[in-house]
Amino acid sequence: EVQLVESGGSLVQPGGSLKLSCVASGFTFSNYWMDWVRQTPGKSLEWIGEINTDGSKTNYAPSIKDRFTISRDNAKSTLYLQMSNVKSDDTAIYYCTRLGGYFDYWGQGVMVTVSS
Amino acid sequence: DIQMTQSPASLSASLEEIVTITCQASQDIGNYLSWYQQKPGKSPQLLIHSATSLADGVPSRFSGSRSGTQYSLKINRLQVEDTGIYYCLQHYSAPWTFGGGTKLELK
């Protein structure tokens, strides 16, 4: 059974940093591109970015570029999202997703709140 | 960026009714369109991929179609468990973009 489990969400002050993790199981992690998607309270979904299978290539949404960094550790089957210089607009539920041509599996999500 | 215009934003329908939700892409995206259902407090779940292909385990009352740059999700014979929010996603060109969502409730 494919499982994606996020962790690391918390309350963070504006301008601060936070690192989210997503542990994958039930499939060969190193064979898949992985993505992060967020959902702001009461609003739609927003794609944040993605990373290729060996971690050598990343793509980001313009709204977060240069502030967020996606990385992975295939030996640990873990995906990361390093968030820096966070803003109140970054308050959201963050999901990791598997890109199997489309987002075929999603984690349960983790809440990040940016507030002073 | 490719814009996905989803309609309606909300919908109230009766049990056993046929429901249709649409997404209009701002440009050609081929069949790179998927549909997701989200229940309260849960993550989105894949329903349809490649515009018309049913995901594993999804009831056959769900179906997807395409006409040019307009994509539709159809639910035949609406059931109680079909309530929730539905989203479309284009995965043709980055940044991948979602529709604004359709909240489906029972009348």
Side-chain angles (χ1 to χ4, degrees), chain A:
Chain A
E1 179 193 6
V2 172
Q3 284 196 315
L4 300 170
V5 180
E6 301 97 336
S7 62
S10 71
L11 172 65
V12 58
Q13 292 188 338
S17 298
L18 193 65
K19 189 171 186 176
L20 307 182
S21 300
C22 170
V23 177
S25 60
F27 67 101
T28 303
F29 181 70
S30 58
N31 285 352
Y32 289 85
W33 285 60
M34 296 295 295
D35 290 55
W36 287 97
V37 173
R38 69 184 179 184
Q39 185 167 36
T40 50
K43 293 190 177 180
S44 187
L45 300 158
E46 178 187 18
W47 175 76
I48 294 173
E50 63 187 2
I51 187 166
N52 71 343
T53 55
D54 66 5
S56 61
K57 180 178 172 61
T58 51
N59 296 313
Y60 297 99
S63 61
I64 59 90
K65 198 168 183 179
D66 298 331
R67 295 192 301 119
F68 291 5
T69 302
I70 297 174
S71 61
R72 67 192 295 162
D73 184 337
N74 285 343
K76 295 182 178 180
S77 295
T78 303
L79 175 72
Y80 301 102
L81 177 65
Q82 175 69 54
M83 306 170 64
S84 303
N85 189 24
V86 295
K87 308 173 183 179
S88 57
D89 289 350
D90 296 322
T91 294
I93 297 172
Y94 286 75
Y95 297 101
C96 70
T97 67
R98 190 179 83 167
L99 185 62
Y102 34 84
F103 298 146
D104 56 358
Y105 289 95
W106 299 61
Q108 86 286 354
V110 64
M111 185 71 204
V112 173
T113 303
V114 181
S115 176
S116 54

Side-chain angles (χ1 to χ4, degrees), chain B residues 7-91:
Chain B
S7 62
S10 63
L11 178 57
S12 182
S14 302
L15 275 176
E16 304 286 315
E17 190 173 333
I18 297 173
V19 168
T20 301
I21 298 167
T22 63
C23 267
Q24 179 70 49
S26 61
Q27 65 183 73
D28 179 34
I29 60 170
N31 285 332
Y32 292 91
L33 187 286
S34 48
W35 290 96
Y36 301 83
Q37 178 195 61
Q38 187 176 33
K39 298 280 193 177
K42 300 291 187 181
S43 57
Q45 300 293 305
L46 177 68
L47 293 174
I48 301 283
H49 65 85
S50 308
T52 61
S53 298
L54 202 64
D56 292 344
V58 175
S60 58
R61 63 180 179 274
F62 290 90
S63 64
S65 64
R66 171 193 174 190
S67 177
T69 57
Q70 181 166 291
Y71 300 80
S72 298
L73 172 69
K74 183 178 175 182
I75 309 174
N76 280 314
R77 303 187 65 183
L78 185 69
Q79 302 298 301
V80 173
E81 60 266 30
D82 298 336
T83 59
I85 303 177
Y86 292 80
Y87 297 95
C88 64
L89 164 72
Q90 70 81 18
H91 43 96

